[in-house]
Amino acid sequence: MLRTIGLIVAAIVLGAGAAVAETLRARAILAEPLADAEGLTLEATVSDVSRADAPSIFLAGVSFLTSGQPGYEFSITYDPAELQPQAVYALRVALSRDGHLVASTDTHYPVLEGGAAGAEPIEVLLHPVR
């Protein structure tokens, strides 16, 4: 009997580590054209922004060098087991060149409502930094 319980507990523990990653897809477009949109670094993050007067909590993100003209399509892989039921998750996207911010989202883009990414890519609007 104890051996059977031990095997069941082991199966549950081993199975719990096999979480399946999910993917949030998005497309970043510019509100205004940039003089030189080549070779920018795009950084996109999903964070829990539900705590008032406290820093957001990072969930997942992606960073890469862009090529070609905007809109930049990207995917963020996240572990759904890390989602908190009462949390509010937001997507933030920024473009930079040599560590200097060039454009960024200036609007709250809610994501992962109900604990899952939508089927369609989220379109976010980036505004130039002046």
Side-chain angles (χ1 to χ4, degrees):
M1 176 76 172
L2 287 177
R3 182 174 180 202
T4 303
I5 292 172
L7 291 174
I8 292 171
V9 169
I12 291 170
V13 170
L14 291 175
V20 177
E22 292 191 20
T23 302
L24 171 74
R25 296 181 312 133
R27 181 172 183 258
I29 57 175
L30 293 169
E32 301 174 24
L34 294 175
D36 183 12
E38 290 288 325
L40 298 171
T41 299
L42 184 142
E43 182 176 357
T45 59
V46 174
S47 299
D48 174 359
V49 296
S50 59
R51 301 180 320 147
D53 297 326
S56 62
I57 300 171
F58 176 85
L59 174 70
V62 65
S63 180
F64 61 91
L65 285 175
T66 63
S67 62
Q69 293 297 312
Y72 303 114
E73 295 189 10
F74 59 93
S75 298
I76 298 176
T77 302
Y78 66 96
D79 180 357
E82 292 183 22
L83 298 178
Q84 300 300 315
Q86 301 303 318
V88 175
Y89 294 97
L91 174 63
R92 181 181 182 280
V93 181
L95 287 174
S96 62
R97 176 178 284 116
D98 300 323
H100 299 284
L101 189 61
V102 174
S104 179
T105 50
D106 67 353
T107 303
H108 174 81
Y109 288 94
V111 294
L112 308 179
E113 294 174 324
E120 295 298 317
I122 297 166
E123 207 165 84
V124 297
L125 189 60
L126 305 179
H127 295 275
V129 174
R130 299 189 203 275

